[in-house]
Amino acid sequence: MSSNVLAFNQSGDESKRERKPLPNDKAMLLDNPQGFEVYNRELMRKVFPRLINEALDVAYAEYKRKPEIRDVVAFYFLLQSYIDGNYLRADGTKNDRFGACFLKYETIQEHLRLDRARINLLASVLETNGIIRTAGHYEGTKRFKWYFPSFCPRITDDGYIVNEFGEIVKPDFSAYISKRKR
């Protein structure tokens, strides 16, 4: 049985590992020294459609004007695109931002043309679905929000994330409602 997770055929002898054929120019992307990434296709195939449908059919069912919940996809991929991949700082100490996206609200607003409340709402939706986790961080008196998106979550056939404890993450639909409307 082949796996689409590993890009190499597994044989008993490590010296004889060979790359599986990859579609189109994917091998060039993976081999590029600029650090390009690929995404988990099951997020797009299963998780985001389930999340969007639940939002429209359950969380926003009674709303006449439903919010553009599809923005969670663009927001997730923006976060993925700006993750700090440096494990160590220039001075050799461990980087506490490793794996985090720490874009300022203004930068996210410029890229996606969303207001600050909408950014918080989208982050809450992704977090309650187990796709990202967030952390507050202070530098002096300035507060930052760090986003830690999951690269390769385990996903059930019906589109739910399975956490590190093997539990299916069921969203809290109150997170889908902006703080202004709660």
Side-chain angles (χ1 to χ4, degrees), residues 104-180:
K104 295 178 184 177
Y105 281 108
E106 294 80 17
T107 306
I108 297 171
Q109 289 172 316
E110 288 172 16
H111 283 293
L112 298 179
R113 298 180 70 157
L114 301 171
D115 67 22
R116 189 180 188 110
R118 185 104 176 102
I119 293 167
N120 287 329
L121 174 65
L122 295 174
S124 294
V125 169
L126 290 174
E127 191 165 27
T128 195
N129 279 279
I131 300 169
I132 67 170
R133 72 179 171 80
T134 61
H137 179 75
Y138 285 91
E139 290 181 14
T141 59
K142 191 155 178 128
R143 184 174 189 271
F144 294 92
K145 191 168 198 176
W146 290 357
Y147 306 94
F148 293 86
S150 177
F151 277 95
C152 192
R154 292 183 296 164
I155 300 170
T156 65
D157 288 339
D158 53 353
Y160 290 94
I161 302 295
V162 178
N163 69 18
E164 64 271 15
F165 306 110
E167 301 162 336
I168 295 173
V169 177
K170 295 285 184 167
D172 173 8
F173 291 120
S174 68
Y176 286 57
I177 311 304
S178 71
K179 289 181 181 177
R180 287 185 273 179

Side-chain angles (χ1 to χ4, degrees), residues 10-168:
Q10 298 295 309
S11 65
D13 184 0
E14 287 291 317
S15 66
K16 295 185 180 181
R17 289 175 51 175
E18 60 184 65
R19 179 174 271 173
K20 291 180 183 179
L22 297 171
N24 305 327
D25 55 359
K26 187 174 182 179
M28 211 167 48
L29 179 72
L30 293 173
D31 293 340
N32 192 312
Q34 293 177 329
F36 293 103
E37 303 287 344
V38 294
Y39 70 96
N40 183 334
R41 291 184 294 179
E42 297 302 300
L43 281 169
M44 288 302 297
R45 291 177 178 172
K46 295 177 181 178
V47 177
F48 285 122
R50 185 226 12 112
L51 185 155
I52 292 166
N53 287 324
E54 281 182 350
L56 296 174
D57 298 342
V58 179
Y60 303 125
E62 303 300 318
Y63 285 57
K64 288 183 181 178
R65 186 170 177 217
K66 299 180 189 315
E68 287 296 326
I69 193 64
R70 293 178 297 268
D71 291 340
V72 297
V73 179
F75 181 63
Y76 170 78
F77 283 109
L78 178 71
L79 297 178
Q80 284 279 11
S81 299
Y82 285 93
I83 288 177
D84 187 343
N86 297 311
Y87 182 71
L88 298 176
R89 291 190 172 123
D91 65 3
T93 60
K94 186 179 177 204
N95 181 5
D96 54 348
R97 297 190 318 193
F98 178 68
C101 172
F102 49 92
L103 288 175
K104 295 178 184 177
Y105 281 108
E106 294 80 17
T107 306
I108 297 171
Q109 289 172 316
E110 288 172 16
H111 283 293
L112 298 179
R113 298 180 70 157
L114 301 171
D115 67 22
R116 189 180 188 110
R118 185 104 176 102
I119 293 167
N120 287 329
L121 174 65
L122 295 174
S124 294
V125 169
L126 290 174
E127 191 165 27
T128 195
N129 279 279
I131 300 169
I132 67 170
R133 72 179 171 80
T134 61
H137 179 75
Y138 285 91
E139 290 181 14
T141 59
K142 191 155 178 128
R143 184 174 189 271
F144 294 92
K145 191 168 198 176
W146 290 357
Y147 306 94
F148 293 86
S150 177
F151 277 95
C152 192
R154 292 183 296 164
I155 300 170
T156 65
D157 288 339
D158 53 353
Y160 290 94
I161 302 295
V162 178
N163 69 18
E164 64 271 15
F165 306 110
E167 301 162 336
I168 295 173

